[in-house]
């Protein structure tokens, strides 16, 4: 598959790049995508929820009424979950929601996500660029030139460029990431992928391992 290289003004530079069919042209594995997105979202959860069970509630430990002769059910502790103010039965405890996913499955998920976007013609290759200073207006001008202002856009760079990253941070539908940090969730969540020309070969090498 061949893609035209665009500059930040949205103009065709005349250069073409051939993208790897093993990364951008495979039959997408929807299950691998599902697992990797599920893992990503699970890892976003803090898991710090906690409620007190009967052993942790602060109350008297005396037997609250005699065992027999009251006509009601026997009761030994005010901490019992059946009483108001008692402990909670099987309440939430701090835990991690993450789970193990094989590296090859993660790589397959990312290749599948890229293939989904390539099949939808939602991948563009940009000539390498930077900004002299971090300015939101500079990044907006790039999006305007590419007609992507109201489109969820993911820009993939070979390495972090603070001027580009900070320029994009205040734009709700734009996100900048690096080849090392790109994940299946971001790829699927974006409506348009912008890949830096210098990041493309690194991305293909990483996903073909």
């Amino acid at each position: 598959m061949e893609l035209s290289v665009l500059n930040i003004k949205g103009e065709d530079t005349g250069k073409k790049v051939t993208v790897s069919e093993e990364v951008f042209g495979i039959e997408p594995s929807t299950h691998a995508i599902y697992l990797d997105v599920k893992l990503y979202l699970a890892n976003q959860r803090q898991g710090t929820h906690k409620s007190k069970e009967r052993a942790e509630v602060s109350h008297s430990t005396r037997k609250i009424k005699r065992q027999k002769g009251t006509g009601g059910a026997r009761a030994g502790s005010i901490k019992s979950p059946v009483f108001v103010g008692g402990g909670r039965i099987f309440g939430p405890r701090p835990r991690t929601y993450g789970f193990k996913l094989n590296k090859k499955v993660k790589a397959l998920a990312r290749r599948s996500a890229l293939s989904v976007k390539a099949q939808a013609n939602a991948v563009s290759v940009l000539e390498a660029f930077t900004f002299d200073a971090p300015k939101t207006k500079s990044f907006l001008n790039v999006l305007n030139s590419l007609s992507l202002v109201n489109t969820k856009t993911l820009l993939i760079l070979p390495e972090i460029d603070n001027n580009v990253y900070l320029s994009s941070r205040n734009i709700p539908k734009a996100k900048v990431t690096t080849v090392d940090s790109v994940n299946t969730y971001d790829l699927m969540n974006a409506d348009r992928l912008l890949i830096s020309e210098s990041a493309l070969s690194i991305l293909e090498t990483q996903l073909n391992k």
Side-chain angles (χ1 to χ4, degrees):
M1 178 192 292
E2 277 195 344
L3 295 175
S4 299
V5 179
L6 307 176
N7 60 23
I8 58 173
K9 294 179 181 177
E11 300 164 344
D12 192 338
T13 61
K15 290 190 286 184
K16 301 257 185 201
V17 289
T18 303
V19 296
S20 170
E21 289 293 326
E22 295 175 355
V23 175
F24 290 89
I26 68 168
E27 180 65 33
S29 170
T30 54
H31 189 61
I33 292 174
Y34 157 73
L35 288 174
D36 204 17
V37 169
K38 181 181 177 184
L39 176 63
Y40 175 84
L41 294 175
N43 286 334
Q44 301 309 298
R45 300 186 67 173
Q46 287 190 355
T48 53
H49 37 46
K50 177 74 176 77
S51 66
K52 290 186 178 181
E53 298 186 1
R54 64 182 296 160
E56 300 164 317
V57 177
S58 179
H59 275 306
S60 170
T61 56
R62 75 178 181 89
K63 185 170 173 66
I64 57 176
K65 64 180 181 181
R66 60 196 179 108
Q67 179 78 348
K68 301 174 76 68
T70 63
R74 54 195 172 185
S77 173
I78 196 67
K79 298 180 183 182
S80 169
V82 302
F83 293 121
V84 174
R88 183 170 173 185
I89 305 172
F90 302 129
R93 294 179 175 183
R95 55 167 289 202
T96 173
Y97 283 87
F99 54 91
K100 182 181 182 301
L101 194 61
N102 293 337
K103 285 194 292 186
K104 288 184 178 180
V105 177
K106 290 181 184 178
L108 173 60
R110 277 175 285 171
R111 289 199 304 270
S112 297
L114 288 168
S115 295
V116 167
K117 295 302 176 183
Q119 289 169 13
N121 294 320
V123 179
S124 298
V125 179
L126 279 188
E127 203 172 38
F129 71 95
T130 187
F131 298 137
D132 295 329
K135 285 195 171 201
T136 302
K137 189 174 183 179
S138 299
F139 201 87
L140 273 174
N141 288 338
V142 174
L143 295 180
N144 265 319
S145 301
L146 297 165
S147 303
L148 296 174
V149 173
N150 294 316
T151 304
K152 281 196 287 187
T153 308
L154 179 67
L155 172 62
I156 304 173
L157 300 175
E159 57 189 18
I160 193 66
D161 182 327
N162 276 326
N163 286 348
V164 175
Y165 169 69
L166 293 173
S167 298
S168 70
R169 199 166 57 170
N170 207 29
I171 302 172
K173 291 188 176 182
K175 183 169 183 177
V176 173
T177 188
T178 62
V179 171
D180 292 331
S181 302
V182 70
N183 60 73
T184 306
Y185 176 83
D186 285 340
L187 292 172
M188 294 303 296
N189 188 47
D191 293 324
R192 189 80 183 183
L193 300 183
L194 302 176
I195 306 176
S196 171
E197 187 180 2
S198 48
L200 188 59
S201 58
I202 304 171
L203 185 64
E204 290 180 341
T205 302
Q206 283 192 0
L207 295 180
N208 273 327
K209 285 181 181 177

